[in-house]
Amino acid sequence: EAQVTQNPRYLITVTGKKLTVTCSQNMNHEYMSWYRQDPGLGLRQIYYSMNVEVTDKGDVPEGYKVSRKEKRNFPLILESPSPNQTSLYFCASSSTGGGHTEAFFGQGTRLTVV
Amino acid sequence: DQQVKQNSPSLSVQEGRISILNCDYTNSMFDYFLWYKKYPAEGPTFLISISSIKDKNEDGRFTVFLNKSAKHLSLHIVPSQPGDSAVYFCAASVRGSNYKLTFGKGTLLTVNP
């Protein structure tokens, strides 16, 4: 089954404690991205990757890092989480570029930073 | 600067009637538009898309209309079913834009039995 898998689904952490949210896709997609969803703001892109070792900032990259060492994995790293990073996070992948194809989304990670 | 706008946060319709969800955009460079549906506790799922060279695309009960001169698109669901109750996101992209999708804030559709 084609899918994008995120872990964990729920996470509560404390300010400043480094964390990683993993994302893996089994569709051999080149393009992967991370979004956060906040009430009244919709989905905003954090980082994206066009292929292995190729990443770039989205609209709201501050406080986040990513890496793309393998095609299937695209982890999101919060080196020093803060309460304003409390949000619902989605990883997505797609096969071709320019947004001219559907993106497949993971089920989401609800992060709370206290 | 919000480039994709969904001005109705919510919409309520009766089962069997038509649901019309609206989306406006400001960036005239957008040339591809998509609608995603999101249920609670799940990720968004692709619903339907339209290229800027078309003004209509149909898929079963779902039809998307594009009015380029007005920079407006709409999603029609006919007939609406209770299972259609979800948040609907409009998204847009520009060819050669490094794969970026720009999303609206979403519209919560409730279909009442």
Side-chain angles (χ1 to χ4, degrees), chain A residues 9-10 30-31 35 37 40-43 45 48 50 59 88 90 96-103 105-107, chain B residues 31-32 34 36 38 41-46 87 89 93-106:
Chain A
R9 292 290 309 277
Y10 302 92
E30 292 185 348
Y31 180 70
Y35 294 86
Q37 182 188 4
L41 295 176
L43 286 156
Q45 191 183 58
Y48 65 93
M50 289 183 283
D59 296 319
L88 179 58
F90 291 101
T96 60
H100 293 75
T101 186
E102 62 176 286
F105 284 80
Q107 290 191 293
Chain B
D31 61 351
Y32 200 73
L34 309 91
Y36 283 83
K38 184 183 178 304
E42 294 185 13
T45 55
F46 171 76
V87 175
F89 290 100
S93 70
V94 179
R95 188 181 301 278
S97 64
N98 290 333
Y99 306 73
K100 179 177 169 57
L101 281 174
T102 300
F103 283 86
K105 294 182 179 180

Coordinates of all heavy atoms in Angstrom, one line a residue, chain A residues 9-10 30-31 35 37 40-43 45 48 50 59 88 90 96-103 105-107, chain B residues 31-32 34 36 38 41-46 87 89 93-106:
Chain A
R9 N 2.8 9.9 16.4 CA 1.6 10.6 16.0 C 1.3 11.7 17.1 O 0.7 12.8 16.7 CB 0.4 9.6 16.1 CG 0.4 8.6 15.0 CD 0.1 9.2 13.6 NE -1.1 10.0 13.6 CZ -2.3 9.5 13.5 NH1 -2.5 8.2 13.4 NH2 -3.4 10.4 13.5
Y10 N 1.7 11.5 18.3 CA 1.5 12.5 19.3 C 2.8 12.6 20.1 O 3.4 11.6 20.4 CB 0.4 12.1 20.3 CG -1.0 11.9 19.6 CD1 -1.3 10.6 19.1 CD2 -1.8 13.0 19.4 CE1 -2.5 10.5 18.4 CE2 -3.0 12.8 18.7 CZ -3.4 11.5 18.2 OH -4.6 11.4 17.6
E30 N 10.4 11.6 -5.5 CA 11.6 12.4 -5.3 C 11.3 13.6 -4.4 O 12.2 14.1 -3.7 CB 12.0 13.0 -6.7 CG 12.5 11.9 -7.7 CD 13.0 12.5 -9.0 OE1 12.7 13.7 -9.2 OE2 13.7 11.8 -9.7
Y31 N 10.1 14.1 -4.4 CA 9.8 15.4 -3.7 C 9.2 15.1 -2.4 O 8.2 14.3 -2.3 CB 8.9 16.3 -4.5 CG 8.6 17.6 -3.9 CD1 9.5 18.5 -3.7 CD2 7.3 17.8 -3.4 CE1 9.2 19.7 -3.1 CE2 7.0 19.0 -2.8 CZ 7.9 20.0 -2.6 OH 7.6 21.1 -2.0
Y35 N 4.9 20.4 6.4 CA 3.9 21.5 6.6 C 3.5 21.5 8.1 O 3.6 20.5 8.8 CB 2.6 21.3 5.8 CG 2.8 21.3 4.3 CD1 3.2 20.2 3.6 CD2 2.6 22.5 3.7 CE1 3.3 20.3 2.2 CE2 2.7 22.6 2.3 CZ 3.1 21.5 1.6 OH 3.2 21.5 0.2
Q37 N 0.1 22.9 10.4 CA -1.2 23.4 10.4 C -1.6 24.0 11.7 O -1.5 23.4 12.7 CB -2.2 22.3 10.0 CG -3.6 22.8 9.9 CD -4.7 21.6 9.8 OE1 -4.3 20.5 9.9 NE2 -5.9 22.0 9.5
G40 N -6.8 28.7 11.9 CA -6.9 30.0 11.2 C -5.8 30.3 10.2 O -5.8 31.4 9.5
L41 N -4.8 29.4 10.1 CA -3.6 29.7 9.2 C -3.5 28.7 8.1 O -2.7 28.9 7.2 CB -2.4 29.8 10.0 CG -2.3 30.9 11.0 CD1 -1.0 30.8 11.8 CD2 -2.3 32.3 10.3
G42 N -4.2 27.6 8.1 CA -4.1 26.6 7.1 C -2.8 25.8 7.2 O -2.2 25.7 8.2
L43 N -2.4 25.4 6.0 CA -1.1 24.6 5.9 C 0.0 25.5 5.4 O -0.2 26.1 4.3 CB -1.3 23.4 5.0 CG -2.2 22.2 5.5 CD1 -2.8 21.5 4.3 CD2 -1.3 21.3 6.3
Q45 N 4.2 25.6 4.5 CA 5.3 24.8 4.2 C 6.5 25.2 5.1 O 6.9 26.4 5.1 CB 5.7 24.8 2.7 CG 6.7 23.8 2.3 CD 7.1 23.9 0.9 OE1 7.5 25.0 0.4 NE2 6.8 22.9 0.1
Y48 N 11.3 21.8 2.2 CA 11.0 20.8 1.2 C 12.3 20.2 0.6 O 13.4 20.8 0.9 CB 10.2 21.4 0.0 CG 10.9 22.5 -0.8 CD1 11.6 22.2 -1.9 CD2 10.8 23.8 -0.4 CE1 12.2 23.2 -2.7 CE2 11.4 24.8 -1.1 CZ 12.1 24.5 -2.3 OH 12.7 25.5 -3.0
M50 N 13.8 18.3 -3.0 CA 13.6 17.8 -4.4 C 14.2 16.5 -4.7 O 13.9 15.9 -5.7 CB 14.0 18.9 -5.4 CG 13.1 20.1 -5.3 SD 13.6 21.4 -6.5 CE 15.0 22.1 -5.8
D59 N 8.0 28.4 3.7 CA 7.6 29.7 4.2 C 7.9 30.0 5.7 O 8.0 31.1 6.1 CB 6.0 29.8 4.0 CG 5.6 29.7 2.6 OD1 6.3 30.4 1.7 OD2 4.6 29.1 2.3
L88 N 0.3 21.0 14.6 CA 0.0 19.8 13.9 C 0.9 19.7 12.6 O 0.8 20.6 11.8 CB -1.5 19.6 13.5 CG -1.9 18.4 12.8 CD1 -1.6 17.1 13.6 CD2 -3.4 18.4 12.5
F90 N 2.6 17.9 9.2 CA 2.3 16.9 8.2 C 3.5 16.8 7.2 O 4.1 17.8 6.8 CB 1.1 17.3 7.3 CG -0.2 17.1 8.0 CD1 -0.8 18.3 8.5 CD2 -0.8 15.9 8.2 CE1 -2.0 18.2 9.2 CE2 -2.0 15.8 8.9 CZ -2.6 16.9 9.4
T96 N 6.4 14.2 -9.0 CA 6.9 15.1 -10.0 C 6.9 16.5 -9.4 O 6.3 16.8 -8.4 CB 6.2 15.1 -11.3 OG1 4.8 15.4 -11.1 CG2 6.3 13.7 -11.9
G97 N 7.4 17.4 -10.1 CA 7.6 18.7 -9.6 C 6.6 19.8 -10.0 O 5.6 19.5 -10.7
G98 N 6.8 21.0 -9.6 CA 5.9 22.1 -10.0 C 4.6 22.0 -9.3 O 3.7 22.8 -9.7
G99 N 4.3 21.1 -8.4 CA 3.0 21.0 -7.8 C 2.0 20.4 -8.7 O 0.8 20.4 -8.4
H100 N 2.4 19.9 -9.9 CA 1.4 19.5 -10.9 C 1.1 18.0 -10.8 O 1.0 17.3 -11.7 CB 1.9 19.8 -12.3 CG 1.9 21.3 -12.6 ND1 2.9 22.1 -12.0 CD2 1.1 22.1 -13.2 CE1 2.6 23.3 -12.4 NE2 1.6 23.4 -13.1
T101 N 1.0 17.6 -9.6 CA 0.6 16.2 -9.3 C 0.2 16.2 -7.9 O 0.5 17.1 -7.1 CB 1.8 15.3 -9.5 OG1 1.4 13.9 -9.4 CG2 2.9 15.5 -8.5
E102 N -0.6 15.2 -7.5 CA -1.1 15.1 -6.2 C 0.0 14.8 -5.2 O 0.9 14.1 -5.5 CB -2.2 14.1 -6.0 CG -1.8 12.7 -6.3 CD -2.9 11.7 -6.1 OE1 -3.2 11.4 -4.9 OE2 -3.4 11.2 -7.1
A103 N -0.1 15.4 -4.0 CA 0.8 15.1 -2.9 C 0.1 14.1 -2.0 O -1.1 14.2 -1.7 CB 1.2 16.4 -2.2
F105 N -0.1 12.7 1.8 CA 0.3 13.2 3.1 C 0.3 12.1 4.2 O -0.5 11.1 4.0 CB -0.8 14.3 3.6 CG -0.6 15.6 3.0 CD1 -1.1 15.9 1.7 CD2 0.0 16.6 3.6 CE1 -0.9 17.1 1.1 CE2 0.2 17.9 3.1 CZ -0.3 18.1 1.8
G106 N 1.1 12.3 5.2 CA 1.1 11.4 6.3 C -0.1 11.7 7.2 O -0.8 12.7 6.9
Q107 N -0.3 11.0 8.3 CA -1.4 11.1 9.1 C -1.3 12.3 10.1 O -2.2 12.7 10.8 CB -1.7 9.8 9.9 CG -2.3 8.8 9.0 CD -2.8 7.6 9.8 OE1 -2.0 6.9 10.4 NE2 -4.1 7.4 9.7
Chain B
D31 N -0.7 28.3 -12.0 CA -1.2 27.7 -13.2 C -1.8 26.3 -13.0 O -2.1 25.6 -13.9 CB -0.2 27.6 -14.3 CG 1.1 26.8 -13.9 OD1 1.2 26.5 -12.7 OD2 1.9 26.6 -14.8
Y32 N -1.8 25.9 -11.7 CA -2.4 24.6 -11.4 C -3.0 24.7 -10.0 O -2.4 25.3 -9.1 CB -1.3 23.5 -11.4 CG -1.8 22.1 -11.6 CD1 -2.3 21.7 -12.8 CD2 -1.8 21.2 -10.5 CE1 -2.8 20.4 -12.9 CE2 -2.3 19.9 -10.6 CZ -2.7 19.5 -11.9 OH -3.2 18.2 -12.0
L34 N -5.5 22.7 -6.9 CA -5.9 21.4 -6.4 C -6.8 21.6 -5.2 O -6.7 22.6 -4.5 CB -4.7 20.6 -5.9 CG -3.5 20.5 -6.9 CD1 -2.5 21.6 -6.8 CD2 -2.8 19.1 -6.7
Y36 N -7.9 19.5 -1.7 CA -7.7 18.4 -0.7 C -8.8 18.4 0.3 O -9.3 19.4 0.7 CB -6.3 18.6 0.0 CG -5.1 18.3 -0.9 CD1 -4.6 19.3 -1.8 CD2 -4.5 17.1 -0.8 CE1 -3.5 19.0 -2.6 CE2 -3.4 16.8 -1.6 CZ -2.9 17.7 -2.5 OH -1.9 17.4 -3.3
K38 N -9.7 16.9 4.2 CA -9.1 16.5 5.4 C -10.2 16.1 6.5 O -10.9 16.9 6.9 CB -8.1 17.5 6.0 CG -7.4 17.0 7.2 CD -6.5 18.1 7.7 CE -5.8 17.6 9.0 NZ -6.7 17.1 10.0
A41 N -8.0 13.9 12.5 CA -7.0 12.9 12.9 C -6.4 12.2 11.7 O -5.8 11.1 11.8 CB -7.6 11.9 13.9
E42 N -6.6 12.8 10.5 CA -6.0 12.2 9.3 C -5.3 13.3 8.5 O -5.5 14.5 8.7 CB -7.1 11.6 8.4 CG -7.7 10.4 9.0 CD -8.7 9.7 8.0 OE1 -8.6 10.1 6.8 OE2 -9.5 8.9 8.4
G43 N -4.4 12.8 7.6 CA -3.7 13.8 6.7 C -4.6 14.2 5.6 O -5.6 13.5 5.3
P44 N -4.4 15.3 4.9 CA -5.2 15.7 3.8 C -5.0 14.7 2.7 O -4.0 14.1 2.5 CB -4.5 17.0 3.3 CG -3.8 17.5 4.5 CD -3.3 16.3 5.3
T45 N -6.1 14.5 1.9 CA -6.1 13.6 0.7 C -6.5 14.4 -0.5 O -7.4 15.2 -0.4 CB -7.0 12.4 0.9 OG1 -8.3 12.8 1.2 CG2 -6.5 11.5 2.1
F46 N -5.8 14.1 -1.6 CA -6.1 14.7 -2.8 C -7.5 14.4 -3.3 O -8.0 13.3 -3.2 CB -5.1 14.3 -3.9 CG -5.4 14.7 -5.3 CD1 -5.2 16.1 -5.7 CD2 -5.9 13.9 -6.2 CE1 -5.4 16.5 -6.9 CE2 -6.2 14.3 -7.5 CZ -6.0 15.6 -7.9
V87 N -12.8 19.1 6.3 CA -12.2 20.4 5.9 C -11.7 20.3 4.5 O -11.0 19.4 4.2 CB -11.1 20.8 6.9 CG1 -10.4 22.1 6.4 CG2 -11.6 21.0 8.3
F89 N -9.3 22.1 1.6 CA -8.3 23.0 1.3 C -8.1 23.2 -0.2 O -8.0 22.3 -0.9 CB -6.9 22.5 1.9 CG -6.8 22.5 3.4 CD1 -7.0 21.4 4.1 CD2 -6.6 23.7 4.1 CE1 -6.9 21.4 5.5 CE2 -6.5 23.7 5.5 CZ -6.7 22.5 6.2
S93 N -0.3 26.2 -7.4 CA 1.2 26.1 -7.7 C 1.5 26.8 -9.0 O 0.6 27.1 -9.8 CB 1.6 24.7 -7.7 OG 1.1 24.0 -8.9
V94 N 2.8 27.1 -9.1 CA 3.3 27.8 -10.3 C 4.3 26.8 -11.0 O 5.2 26.3 -10.3 CB 4.1 29.1 -10.0 CG1 4.7 29.7 -11.2 CG2 3.1 30.0 -9.2
R95 N 4.2 26.6 -12.3 CA 5.1 25.7 -13.0 C 6.5 26.2 -12.7 O 6.8 27.4 -12.8 CB 4.8 25.7 -14.5 CG 5.6 24.7 -15.2 CD 5.2 24.8 -16.7 NE 3.8 24.5 -16.9 CZ 3.2 23.3 -17.0 NH1 4.0 22.3 -16.9 NH2 1.9 23.2 -17.2
G96 N 7.4 25.2 -12.4 CA 8.8 25.6 -12.2 C 9.0 26.3 -10.8 O 10.1 26.9 -10.6
S97 N 8.1 26.1 -9.9 CA 8.2 26.8 -8.6 C 8.9 26.0 -7.5 O 8.6 26.1 -6.4 CB 6.9 27.3 -8.2 OG 6.0 26.2 -7.9
N98 N 9.7 25.0 -7.9 CA 10.3 24.1 -7.0 C 9.3 23.4 -6.2 O 9.4 23.2 -5.0 CB 11.2 24.9 -6.0 CG 12.5 25.4 -6.8 OD1 12.9 24.8 -7.7 ND2 13.0 26.5 -6.3
Y99 N 8.2 22.9 -6.8 CA 7.3 22.0 -6.2 C 6.4 22.6 -5.1 O 5.9 21.8 -4.4 CB 8.0 20.8 -5.7 CG 9.0 20.1 -6.6 CD1 10.2 20.7 -7.0 CD2 8.7 18.9 -7.2 CE1 11.0 20.1 -7.9 CE2 9.5 18.2 -8.0 CZ 10.7 18.8 -8.4 OH 11.6 18.2 -9.3
K100 N 6.4 23.9 -5.0 CA 5.7 24.4 -3.9 C 4.2 24.5 -4.1 O 3.7 25.0 -5.1 CB 6.2 25.9 -3.7 CG 5.6 26.6 -2.5 CD 6.2 27.9 -2.3 CE 5.4 28.8 -1.3 NZ 5.2 28.1 0.0
L101 N 3.4 24.1 -3.1 CA 2.0 24.2 -3.1 C 1.7 25.3 -2.1 O 2.2 25.3 -1.0 CB 1.3 22.9 -2.6 CG 1.1 21.8 -3.7 CD1 0.6 20.6 -3.0 CD2 0.2 22.3 -4.8
T102 N 0.8 26.3 -2.4 CA 0.4 27.3 -1.5 C -1.1 27.0 -1.2 O -1.9 26.9 -2.1 CB 0.5 28.7 -2.1 OG1 1.9 28.9 -2.5 CG2 0.0 29.8 -1.2
F103 N -1.4 26.8 0.1 CA -2.7 26.4 0.6 C -3.5 27.6 1.1 O -2.9 28.5 1.7 CB -2.5 25.4 1.7 CG -2.2 24.0 1.2 CD1 -0.9 23.7 1.1 CD2 -3.2 23.1 1.0 CE1 -0.5 22.4 0.6 CE2 -2.8 21.8 0.6 CZ -1.5 21.4 0.4
G104 N -4.8 27.5 1.0 CA -5.7 28.3 1.7 C -5.9 27.9 3.1 O -5.3 26.8 3.5
K105 N -6.7 28.6 3.9 CA -6.9 28.3 5.3 C -7.9 27.1 5.5 O -8.0 26.6 6.6 CB -7.4 29.5 6.0 CG -6.3 30.6 6.1 CD -6.8 31.8 6.9 CE -5.8 32.9 6.9 NZ -6.2 34.0 7.7
G106 N -8.6 26.8 4.5 CA -9.6 25.7 4.6 C -11.0 26.1 4.9 O -11.2 27.2 5.5

